[in-house]
Amino acid sequence: MQKIPSPKIFQSFKRWKKIVTCVGGEEYTFEEGTDIFVKPAEDQITDPTEELAHRTWKAHILELRRDDSKPGQSPFMMVQWYYSPSDIKAMIKNKQCQEIYPYLGNTELLLSDHRDIVLVQCCIDDITITFFDENSLKARPIKKGHWYYRMTLITGKKTNIIKDIPSLSGCCGSIYNPDLDRQRYCPKCQAWYDEKCIGPAHATINEDDGLELLGEIPYIRGYDGSHESGNWQIVGTGNIKQKAKSVIRKGGKLSDLWSNDIGEEVIAHLISIPWDLYYCPICGDVEI
């Protein structure tokens, strides 16, 4: 196997925006700005009991370079590593990491500033890792089982620091865990509240028209431990609710909502749910 070059030598190689090469007998296309699976060394697997997809490292490709002065040379890439929940859990001496770990979703990652040069042959496949912007009600839906990140990790010689920590829940002051929590958003006080902290429900939305119903559903997010089907639970219903309102204003129909992000199955699932309403615990008179 080729020797990993130093950063200085790596920078001297010709840079490519996209490279097509063979890995394990199969042809793959690697492109700068995309995410990939990287096979870890056996002695560097954090938790060998995890499923393969979780044991495999994930990285973001920053640069692709190859020494074209020598025939048959394999490309190298500069990558930026994502850290998994098991990586964060393993940092037992870091108090902040231990406090954040319980709130990480099963397929959640942290984008770090840790960079390395790796051989393309160590890459297994490309993947999609979506940024979850908790400050946006229109965040792009993330399908069940797909990878995402919302926090960043700054690595240091003495300690690691997690940045972009999500806002705390308006009631109990905890961080949102997409797998275990169910939260509702109040547009008036602009805060998310754990559903278990604001009950009981006082009414149910009564609307027979599917499109109108989607325009009236509350801003709600989280699997609540159930992991029911759909791709709205992690980021919430905001994206779908706003799109439904736009279709209504334009005089459109329900099928106008169907897209790569919002499929017919997801819409049918949302329409079938009896949407209960709660009063905001702070505003008092606002239904959420």
Side-chain angles (χ1 to χ4, degrees), residues 38-51:
V38 179
K39 184 179 180 180
E42 291 296 326
D43 61 349
Q44 296 189 42
I45 296 176
T46 307
D47 184 356
T49 65
E50 287 185 316
E51 296 177 5

Side-chain angles (χ1 to χ4, degrees), residues 20-254:
V20 179
T21 188
C22 285
V23 178
E26 294 188 29
E27 187 177 277
Y28 287 96
T29 299
F30 296 103
E31 188 172 356
E32 290 185 355
T34 59
D35 300 309
I36 52 170
F37 280 120
V38 179
K39 184 179 180 180
E42 291 296 326
D43 61 349
Q44 296 189 42
I45 296 176
T46 307
D47 184 356
T49 65
E50 287 185 316
E51 296 177 5
L52 179 60
H54 287 267
R55 292 201 309 269
T56 308
W57 293 344
K58 292 90 185 168
H60 181 75
I61 302 176
L62 297 173
E63 291 184 31
L64 285 164
R65 293 181 181 271
R66 183 173 59 199
D67 183 5
D68 288 345
S69 67
K70 299 177 181 179
Q73 292 292 297
S74 294
F76 292 94
M77 57 178 69
M78 173 74 76
V79 300
Q80 185 174 1
W81 294 108
Y82 289 97
Y83 278 56
S84 69
S86 60
D87 294 328
I88 300 302
K89 183 181 180 181
M91 299 176 187
I92 57 177
K93 294 184 179 180
N94 187 308
K95 182 180 178 182
Q96 187 192 38
C97 289
Q98 295 307 303
E99 290 175 345
I100 293 295
Y101 168 71
Y103 301 104
L104 298 177
N106 186 47
T107 55
E108 182 170 0
L109 305 167
L110 281 78
L111 179 63
S112 78
D113 62 348
H114 178 186
R115 299 182 179 188
D116 276 321
I117 297 170
V118 300
L119 193 63
V120 165
Q121 266 62 26
C122 295
C123 303
I124 299 174
D125 202 353
D126 63 317
I127 54 172
T128 298
I129 300 175
T130 304
F131 172 58
F132 171 21
D133 184 2
E134 281 211 46
N135 295 317
S136 173
L137 291 175
K138 299 180 181 179
R140 180 183 176 185
I142 299 170
K143 295 181 180 180
K144 179 182 177 182
H146 285 212
W147 302 95
Y148 65 96
Y149 76 98
R150 52 180 169 159
M151 291 178 268
T152 54
L153 179 70
I154 307 301
T155 58
K157 292 182 178 179
K158 294 184 177 180
T159 188
N160 297 319
I161 301 173
I162 296 176
K163 299 187 68 177
D164 307 313
I165 297 175
S167 301
L168 303 180
S169 169
C171 285
C172 57
S174 63
I175 296 173
Y176 168 55
N177 182 318
D179 290 341
L180 303 180
D181 295 334
R182 174 62 57 86
Q183 293 187 332
R184 289 173 179 253
Y185 180 79
C186 176
K188 183 176 181 179
C189 57
Q190 298 183 340
W192 287 94
Y193 299 95
D194 287 322
E195 198 172 89
K196 61 187 177 184
C197 299
I198 61 175
H202 80 93
T204 300
I205 296 178
N206 184 18
E207 177 58 66
D208 294 328
D209 183 273
L211 182 59
E212 292 290 341
L213 173 64
L214 293 177
E216 295 179 14
I217 60 177
Y219 291 104
I220 185 170
R221 67 184 185 183
Y223 280 105
D224 196 25
S226 66
H227 277 268
E228 55 193 281
S229 62
N231 64 1
W232 61 270
Q233 285 91 339
I234 293 176
V235 303
T237 57
N239 182 285
I240 299 171
K241 179 182 176 76
Q242 294 299 324
K243 287 185 176 180
K245 286 185 174 181
S246 176
V247 172
I248 292 172
R249 287 195 298 269
K250 295 175 182 178
K253 54 187 182 296
L254 188 62

